Amino acid sequence: MPLRARLPASLIPCLALIGASVLPVATAQAPGREVPVYSYRVVARYPHDAGAFTQGLIFKDGFLYESTGMYGRSSVRKVRLADGKVLEKTDLPASVFGEGLTDRGQQLLVLTWTTQTGYIVKLPGLAVTGNFAYPGEGWGLARSADTIYMSDGTAQIRLLDPKSLRERSRIRVTFNGKPVPQLNELEWVDGELFANVWMTDSIVRIDPNSGQVVGRIDLGGLLARHGTRTRGADVLNGIAYDGARKRLFVTGKLWPDLFEIELVPPAPRAAKPR
């Protein structure tokens, strides 16, 4: 999604709830059960290209792969984690605004924002070898073993067939019984979908079967408290997961840093006196 913009008034209440620093609210789908709010601990900080308008991010075979946006600046990159060096880079056409990406075997799939066209990129080398079409906007991508998940800026996530890339179905993401719009970058993490909520410092954890938000990660202050000072940084965006070593990485658009974080669960609530 592009740079910060004014949100429609109808979206503000829901995003304020999702982005709140305290969230002791029981879900409507499961009365009496609260959605846990996780904080974070920074495990490591790595350099990140502050000129990269990060849209999609994955960790694969020891490297980061990243898609970037902005007209005339959209690209697909292979990045070395340790020093943030861009090892390979392919520019997308200047007429498109790059969005999320995921992998499909020895290929990367990359979305564009409004042109209803995605690109197939070959590994290694990052050569564009084909494209695919979809209706509406493209925001984020992630994959499980048998499904590709696609966000489009709404509260719905599309489930695509990994071979044909045709839409099979959709799930509606809800929190406290209400739809959660502005779902952006996606990542598959141990059976859950993690999603950046655009214009907030939150990542929501989604049950891919029901669409219910089962947890929220509050990353408020991550760059300001733990990163490099910069005036150009935009919103939090970019989630990558190293499943083999259970490492979670996050960054943002035009951020000079990428962070490995560990999730810290909420402290148990004291029992109410009888």
Side-chain angles (χ1 to χ4, degrees), residues 55-58 67 99-103 108-112 118-119 132 134 138-144 147-152 157-158 160 165 183-188 193-194 239:
Q55 301 287 58
L57 189 70
I58 64 171
S67 58
E99 288 284 346
L101 94 163
T102 192
D103 63 321
L108 300 177
L109 305 174
V110 187
L111 298 177
T112 60
Y119 293 94
F132 58 98
Y134 50 86
W139 285 41
L141 283 176
R143 69 159 181 87
S144 65
T147 302
I148 291 175
Y149 298 87
M150 173 182 167
S151 65
D152 58 12
I157 292 179
R158 309 179 193 189
L160 310 182
L165 300 180
L183 298 174
N184 200 2
E185 219 269 299
L186 305 175
E187 182 73 11
W188 183 261
L193 271 174
F194 282 28
I239 312 167

Side-chain angles (χ1 to χ4, degrees), residues 46-52 54 57 66 83-84 251-252 254-258:
Y46 302 95
H48 179 252
D49 179 5
T54 304
L57 189 70
E66 181 176 22
D83 58 6
T251 190
L254 308 177
W255 282 25
D257 302 302
L258 178 142

Side-chain angles (χ1 to χ4, degrees), residues 95-169:
S95 59
V96 306
F97 196 115
E99 288 284 346
L101 94 163
T102 192
D103 63 321
R104 183 179 66 170
Q106 290 306 109
Q107 294 176 331
L108 300 177
L109 305 174
V110 187
L111 298 177
T112 60
W113 180 25
T114 60
T115 46
Q116 301 185 354
T117 300
Y119 293 94
I120 300 171
V121 179
K122 184 180 179 181
L123 296 175
L126 301 186
V128 175
T129 60
N131 54 52
F132 58 98
Y134 50 86
E137 296 185 0
W139 285 41
L141 283 176
R143 69 159 181 87
S144 65
D146 59 3
T147 302
I148 291 175
Y149 298 87
M150 173 182 167
S151 65
D152 58 12
T154 70
Q156 295 192 359
I157 292 179
R158 309 179 193 189
L159 279 62
L160 310 182
D161 179 270
K163 292 184 179 180
S164 68
L165 300 180
R166 294 178 179 173
E167 184 177 328
R168 296 193 302 213
S169 60

Side-chain angles (χ1 to χ4, degrees), residues 17 22-28 33-37 175-176 269:
L17 186 62
V22 180
L23 188 60
V25 180
T27 65
R33 294 182 61 189
E34 295 182 353
V35 172
V37 182
F175 171 81
N176 201 25
R269 298 183 69 189

